[in-house]
């Protein structure tokens, strides 16, 4: 999407992505860890063109689970990845398949 949905925990992010109707489309989803890393490197702070996606220097939530109550996140300040509690709020940016 063109903007973040805000901060929310992993569970709420999954529900919000599934129910999103932004720009008249209904096929939005929460990106996987790999897709989020690709976004960082192509339209985020890691892009040769700069942060054309308008991402904040903060942690973004991926749909990729680590184990049980943990999921993977990407830090859009430097591209670092880490896992953390699904219940902790992180920024959410949804995407569509193309």
């Amino acid at each position: 999407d063109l903007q973040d949905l805000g901060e929310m925990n992993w569970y709420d992010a999954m529900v919000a992505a599934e129910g999103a109707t932004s720009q008249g489309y209904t096929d939005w989803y929460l990106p996987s860890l790999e897709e989020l890393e690709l976004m960082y490197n192509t339209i985020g702070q890691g892009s040769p063109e700069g942060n054309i996606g308008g991402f904040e220097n903060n942690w973004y939530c991926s749909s990729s689970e680590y184990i049980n109550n943990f999921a993977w996140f990407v830090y859009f300040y430097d591209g670092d990845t880490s896992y953390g509690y699904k219940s902790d709020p992180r920024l959410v940016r949804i995407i569509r398949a193309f």
Side-chain angles (χ1 to χ4, degrees):
D1 199 3
L2 301 175
Q3 58 190 340
D4 298 336
L5 294 183
E7 280 193 5
M8 57 188 78
N9 67 44
W10 185 88
Y11 304 101
D12 292 341
M14 294 294 282
V15 171
E18 185 177 309
T21 59
S22 181
Q23 302 176 47
Y25 297 101
T26 59
D27 56 347
W28 297 97
Y29 64 94
L30 193 63
S32 68
L33 174 63
E34 293 79 15
E35 289 169 322
L36 207 51
E37 288 178 305
L38 183 61
M39 292 165 66
Y40 171 82
N41 288 314
T42 58
I43 62 173
Q45 288 80 329
S47 167
E49 289 83 32
N51 184 16
I52 60 175
F55 294 91
E56 293 187 31
N57 290 331
N58 209 332
W59 289 97
Y60 279 80
C61 186
S62 85
S63 63
S64 300
E65 296 179 85
Y66 179 65
I67 55 171
N68 296 327
N69 297 323
F70 294 87
W72 286 98
F73 305 100
V74 175
Y75 192 38
F76 269 66
Y77 176 74
D78 60 8
D80 189 25
T81 62
S82 185
Y83 57 88
Y85 287 107
K86 291 178 180 178
S87 58
D88 291 344
R90 304 284 195 275
L91 284 172
V92 174
R93 178 77 62 103
I94 53 176
I95 62 173
R96 296 177 59 232
F98 56 91

